[in-house]
Amino acid sequence: MGGALRLRTVLTEGIFAYWGATELAARCSTLRTACTACDERKAGMDIADEAIARLATARSFGYHGGAASATEPVALAAIALIAAGREQSAAPLLHWLLERQSADGSLGVDETNAAPCWPTCWAVIAWRQAQASKLADAKFDAAMNSGLEWLVGVEGELIEHNDTTGHDTEIPGWPWVQGTHAWLEPTAIALLALKHTGHDTHVRAVDAVHLLHDRMLPNGGCNYGNTIVFGQALRPHVQPTGLALMALKGDRDTTDRTRKSIDFLLNELPATTATASLCYGLLGLAAHDALPPQADQWLAAAMQRTLARDAAPYKLALLALAQQGTASSLIPTAIREVLP
């Protein structure tokens, strides 16, 4: 009896020791997960803080470090600074845009080129963000409305349908250059401008949604404009796919191409090292609540590469905006206004 009792005692103590070790391991695993999540959130905050700090002190806002200012990077930097509560740093950029707006409401690509004018859309969004901030000013409101008036008056050249292209060539959209056919990216940017200013039910916005859905590839993702040429399906790319998905936030898709495009980005983004492509890809996923858990890690790596190269303001602005995730200032929210 004494031996059996001792054996039972040893077994009982062993079982409790095992349970204790298992519980300890589980709690340690939970703690490690929490610490990892905390580190990732901190990394995300560090990315945004560093990007905003550099934008706030930049002397020019171009596509590359030290390059002359250009409309798109200036507008994106202004949007990022306003979102970070750095309105005073954004104000000179908003005025830079004002000074370069033509009488017809458009803005060219940079200080010396009054055309092409597709960056007008980014300026419209920047002025809209200003109007919702401490910087609200009648001048920004007038400039925004003038830009919108120009925007809805621009339309890509329609082409009679032919058998060499897979997309519908007769859907109105926006071109890179006036007098040419509509392309996916300028149409997506124009749709973003319309949505940000509350005009998502305007006929041009409805056409833009139709065009973006039509230009999505059958298996998901977007090329820069075409889908199928001479019977050959083109390859999808991250940046146009992300831009299209961001512009299509809240729009119903009966073709299932939106879901397939989200799947394309989720599969493709881990191998994406181009900063702009990564940022637009993540913004597209954020617009559809599909951000992967590795997003902050990828952005941190992209930030390191950007700083090691030339700290381009264009990339810094995109990094700051992408790090905001689902709350990014580039992702349109549901507001309603009337545009003639």
Side-chain angles (χ1 to χ4, degrees):
M1 290 290 293
L5 181 60
R6 283 195 298 274
L7 177 60
R8 186 165 56 192
T9 301
V10 169
L11 289 173
T12 301
E13 290 175 349
I15 289 170
F16 278 111
Y18 171 76
W19 283 348
T22 302
E23 176 67 17
L24 179 61
R27 292 190 179 189
C28 287
S29 176
T30 301
L31 182 60
R32 282 194 298 271
T33 300
C35 289
T36 299
C38 182
D39 289 343
E40 289 176 349
R41 284 194 296 272
K42 183 178 182 299
M45 293 173 63
D46 290 344
I47 294 166
D49 290 345
E50 178 72 13
I52 292 300
R54 287 177 176 266
L55 289 174
T57 58
R59 302 179 68 179
S60 65
F61 295 82
Y63 289 100
H64 305 286
S69 295
T71 304
E72 182 182 26
V74 168
L76 290 172
I79 295 167
L81 287 165
I82 292 171
R86 304 289 288 270
E87 288 92 346
Q88 293 309 309
S89 297
L93 304 183
L94 296 166
H95 284 283
W96 186 98
L97 296 170
L98 277 179
E99 292 166 3
R100 282 150 187 84
Q101 187 175 35
S102 299
D104 65 358
S106 66
L107 289 85
V109 291
D110 55 29
E111 296 179 285
T112 58
N113 294 282
C117 304
W118 58 267
T120 302
C121 305
W122 291 124
V124 165
I125 297 172
W127 288 322
R128 176 66 185 87
Q129 298 296 326
Q131 286 302 92
S133 75
K134 299 175 184 177
L135 296 172
D137 190 302
K139 291 182 294 187
F140 298 146
D141 191 55
M144 179 186 73
N145 288 326
S146 180
L148 282 169
E149 187 175 350
W150 173 86
L151 178 63
V152 297
V154 174
E155 184 176 305
E157 293 293 313
L158 304 182
I159 302 173
E160 186 177 349
H161 179 72
N162 60 75
D163 295 332
T164 62
T165 57
H167 68 269
D168 188 337
T169 57
E170 298 180 333
I171 304 174
W174 280 265
W176 287 116
V177 179
Q178 285 182 257
T180 63
H181 189 50
W183 288 81
L184 180 137
E185 288 176 288
T187 298
I189 300 169
L191 179 57
L192 281 172
L194 289 172
K195 285 189 171 185
H196 272 284
T197 53
H199 307 308
D200 54 318
T201 59
H202 190 278
V203 63
R204 296 302 309 278
V206 174
D207 285 338
V209 171
H210 186 191
L211 185 146
L212 295 181
H213 281 147
D214 179 74
R215 300 289 181 95
M216 285 183 169
L217 296 164
N219 292 323
C222 302
N223 193 267
Y224 292 97
N226 296 319
T227 53
I228 299 172
V229 179
F230 295 112
Q232 179 65 48
L234 302 182
R235 291 183 57 203
H237 295 278
V238 169
Q239 182 161 327
T241 302
L243 190 52
L245 285 174
M246 180 167 56
L248 288 170
K249 175 181 170 61
D251 292 301
R252 185 167 172 265
D253 177 19
T254 59
T255 68
D256 204 34
R257 292 184 181 183
T258 296
R259 182 192 62 78
K260 291 178 180 178
S261 296
I262 291 171
D263 290 343
F264 162 73
L265 286 180
L266 290 172
N267 290 327
E268 194 72 18
L269 277 180
T272 300
T273 57
T275 298
S277 292
L278 174 67
C279 290
Y280 277 119
L282 290 174
L283 284 164
L285 291 176
H288 296 267
D289 297 314
L291 272 178
Q294 307 96 322
D296 283 338
Q297 178 184 341
W298 297 339
L299 288 170
M303 182 66 165
Q304 291 177 352
R305 292 192 299 270
T306 297
L307 295 180
R309 291 171 184 168
D310 60 358
Y314 170 65
K315 295 178 182 177
L316 292 174
L318 285 174
L319 284 163
L321 290 164
Q323 195 281 323
Q324 294 174 351
T326 56
S328 176
S329 298
L330 280 190
I331 299 174
T333 55
I335 59 175
R336 294 287 186 275
E337 293 183 18
V338 177
L339 181 68

